Amino acid sequence: MTCDVCKNSDATVFLTQIVEGKMQKVNLCDSCAKAKGVDDPTGFALADLLLGLGAAQEIERGSGSSQRCPACGFSQADFKKTGRLGCAQCYETFSEGLNSLLKAMHKGTHHTGKVPARIARQVERENALKILQRDLQKAVADENYESAAQIRDQLRQLETSTGS
Amino acid sequence: MKIDTLLGHPSDWLRGDGPHHQIVISSRVRFARNLRTRAFPGWAKKAERAQILEEIKPQVDDLPEMQDAFSEYMQELTALDKQVLVERHLISREQAAKNAGSAVVINKRQTLSIMINEEDHLRMQALRSGLQLKNVFKLLDKVDCALEQKLDFAFHPRLGYLTACPTNVGTGMRASAMVHLPALVLSDQINQIIQAVNKIGLAVRGLYGEGTEAMGNLFQVSNQTTLGEKEDEIITRLNQVIEKIIEHEQNARQLLLQKRLSTLLDQIGRAFGILTHAHSMTSKEALNLLSFMKLGVDLGFFPDGHRPVIDELFMETQPAHLQKNSQQKLQVEERDALRAGIIREKLKQFPEPDVGPNPEPENGSSEKPDDE
C-alpha cells in the first residue's frame, strides 16, 4: 500500500478517525506521518490532512462523481486533485457533501460574523417587505381598506427602491 | 513606489515596539475574499484571471490606505525580490510562485499587504509589532468595508464569505501572532503547550520549518477554524491564549534563572562566542543562536540598547535579504560565509554577556548543568 500523501513510499502508518459517525482512513509513509505530526496524536489536526484526501470522497458521496458545477464546470474529480473549489456557486452545487465536511472541519455550521453592508441592507429590506405584506393581508382581512391602501403604497415604494 | 524603495524601508512590525514585544514579535490578521460571479483564481482560465485582476487592482490602488503604496504585477518582480517579500511576511510562498494574472499592493509602512489572485481573489493582511490583534483587526476591517462598497463579494447567508478552500469559509479570517519561546523550548515544555493549544481549536506551528523542528524558537499561534464563531470571538480567544503562553514563557524564564542558571549562561555565552567568531553559518544556525542572544537581552545579560541589532539580524541573515543586500546571487557556501561576516561586523561593538547581577548558583552544581 502506498502513502496517500506523497504516493511514493510504502505506507507504514494507518490512521483511522471517526468523525460524526463516519470513518476516515488515511495511509501514510513514515516521513509523511512525521511531517504531518501524526506521531503526536493529541496535537494532530486531521482536518488539515483530510482536505484533498477524504474530502473528495465526502463530496462524491454527497453529489455523485459525475456532477459538474453549472457556473464554472468544476467536478468532484477536480476537487480530488486540488483540494480547492472552482467558484462561489460550487458551494451550492456540492452542498450535500460539503456540509458534512464543513461540520467536521469547523466549530459550527453557521456563519455568525461579519456581513457585507450591501447584504445586510438587502436582508433588512426583505424583512421590511415581509412585515408590510403581513400587515397588508391583515388589513384586508379586517376590511380596513384605508390602512390597506397606505400599506400598499409603502410596499410599492420599497419594492421599486433599488435596495442598495 | 519602486521595489527597492519599499525594501529600503524596514517593516514597521520589525521595529519591536509593540505591546509585549519581548515575547510577541508581531500580530497579523488576514481576510480571504472572492468576487461573487467569478471562478476562483486556481480554476479561472488565464483570460478570466486577467479580467479579475483588472477589476480588483484599481479599487485596491484607490484605497486611502494605499496612497503612495508599492503596487506591482507578480511577473514584474524578480525571484529574489519575491523571496525578500516572503521573508518579510508581506506575501505568501504561494503568491511568490505566481506570475502574470496576479499582483500585490503593499503600503509604505508595510502594515498592510493585499494579494490579488492568490488562492482567493483577495488575500488582505494587516501586520503590526507586538501583541495587538484587536488594532490589527480594526485596520483590516476598515479596508474590507471600503472594498466591499466597490466589489461584489461572494457571501452565503449560512456559510458566510465563500473561499476557494473550505477550511477558510465563514469569516475567511486567520488571525495569528508570532511568538518567541526559548525558555519553553529549553525546559522541554513546548510540546505540552502545543498540545494544549491544539485541543482548543487553535494551532501552533514552528515559524520556519514544521512541527518540532522550529528554528529560532519562533512559533506562530493562529485560529484553525473560521465557521461558527464571530471575528471578535476568535480574536478574544486567541488573545487570551497568547497571554497565557506569555505567562508560561515568563515563568519558564524565571525558573531557568533560579534553577538552571549555568545552562542558561552556557547557551547565551556559546551563542555570543559563535556569532562573534564564526566564519561560516547557515541561516538555521544563525536563527537559533540569535534566539539566545534575544533571550539574553530580555533577561538583562546584555544592555537593552543593543536589542535592535539582534532584531535586525534576524531578518538580514535570511537568505534572500542577504543576497539582496549584497546585490548578487550567491552559492550556499558563499552565503554562509557572507552571513557569518555580517554578523561578526554587526556584533563588533556588542558587549560580552554581563553575568554580574546574577551570581553563579550555590553548592558548585554550576559545572554540571544536567546533573541528576
Side-chain angles (χ1 to χ4, degrees), chain A residues 133-148:
Chain A
Q133 274 155 359
R134 200 186 57 206
D135 289 353
L136 180 63
Q137 275 175 5
K138 187 170 184 300
V140 171
D142 293 347
E143 299 187 9
N144 188 349
Y145 297 113
E146 198 180 330
S147 168

Side-chain angles (χ1 to χ4, degrees), chain B residues 67-329:
Chain B
Q67 299 316 301
D68 202 20
F70 168 73
S71 175
E72 195 55 274
Y73 297 104
M74 291 317 288
Q75 74 270 23
E76 302 295 329
L77 293 171
T78 65
L80 185 59
D81 287 338
K82 289 176 179 177
Q83 202 49 45
V84 173
L85 292 174
V86 171
E87 288 175 1
R88 288 220 186 160
H89 305 279
L90 295 172
I91 64 171
S92 60
R93 275 175 209 288
E94 181 163 353
Q95 187 74 346
K98 302 263 156 126
N99 282 303
S102 297
V104 61
V105 184
I106 302 168
N107 70 344
K108 194 173 166 187
R109 295 172 63 202
Q110 299 160 47
T111 50
L112 204 59
S113 150
I114 299 184
M115 291 181 275
I116 304 167
N117 282 340
E118 200 238 31
E119 179 181 299
D120 296 295
H121 294 144
L122 273 161
R123 280 287 180 100
M124 34 189 162
Q125 71 155 29
L127 180 66
R128 302 283 291 275
S129 162
L131 181 61
Q132 43 178 335
L133 285 166
K134 275 178 197 154
N135 287 337
V136 171
F137 172 78
K138 261 188 227 155
L139 170 63
L140 193 62
D141 189 49
K142 197 171 149 224
V143 170
D144 182 48
C145 287
L147 283 176
E148 73 175 29
Q149 306 278 330
K150 314 276 183 173
L151 300 167
D152 187 10
F153 288 155
F155 185 87
H156 187 282
R158 181 168 58 81
L159 296 175
Y161 291 97
L162 300 177
T163 51
C165 183
T167 49
N168 294 316
V169 85
T171 59
M173 180 182 83
R174 189 85 56 209
S176 65
M178 197 203 303
V179 288
H180 182 232
L181 308 174
L184 287 172
V185 173
L186 211 55
S187 54
D188 287 326
Q189 294 179 66
I190 192 70
N191 284 333
Q192 267 169 280
I193 297 278
I194 292 177
Q195 285 172 21
V197 173
N198 272 335
K199 268 186 195 147
I200 51 173
L202 300 174
V204 184
R205 296 196 178 89
L207 187 66
Y208 306 99
E210 276 200 26
T212 47
E213 223 213 330
M215 283 181 242
N217 302 315
L218 290 165
F219 298 86
Q220 182 168 296
V221 191
S222 68
N223 63 308
Q224 235 173 355
T225 61
T226 51
L227 184 60
E229 227 181 341
K230 284 194 179 74
E231 287 87 351
D232 57 347
E233 290 168 349
I234 295 175
I235 289 193
T236 304
R237 211 155 59 88
L238 188 63
N239 212 49
Q240 284 168 347
V241 169
I242 292 165
E243 279 173 0
K244 273 270 172 252
I245 294 177
I246 294 173
E247 210 180 300
H248 282 297
E249 170 67 18
Q250 274 163 346
N251 289 343
R253 288 180 181 192
Q254 285 311 312
L255 221 63
L256 285 176
L257 280 172
Q258 287 162 15
K259 301 264 164 79
R260 295 175 63 197
L261 183 61
S262 53
T263 312
L264 189 62
L265 290 178
D266 185 57
Q267 293 279 7
I268 294 170
R270 279 168 190 273
F272 178 80
I274 296 169
L275 286 169
T276 49
H277 290 88
H279 283 257
S280 172
M281 190 171 293
T282 64
S283 73
K284 181 179 173 179
E285 186 180 12
L287 275 173
N288 287 333
L289 296 175
L290 286 168
S291 164
F292 284 113
M293 294 296 281
K294 191 171 167 62
L295 178 66
V297 178
D298 289 349
L299 296 179
F301 295 118
F302 300 110
D304 200 62
H306 287 80
R307 179 186 298 283
V309 182
I310 302 295
D311 286 345
E312 282 161 28
L313 279 174
F314 266 101
M315 191 51 70
E316 282 173 26
T317 55
Q318 295 288 303
H321 273 78
L322 209 62
Q323 294 180 70
K324 183 79 189 168
N325 289 339
S326 74
Q327 314 257 328
Q328 54 187 314
K329 184 125 180 66

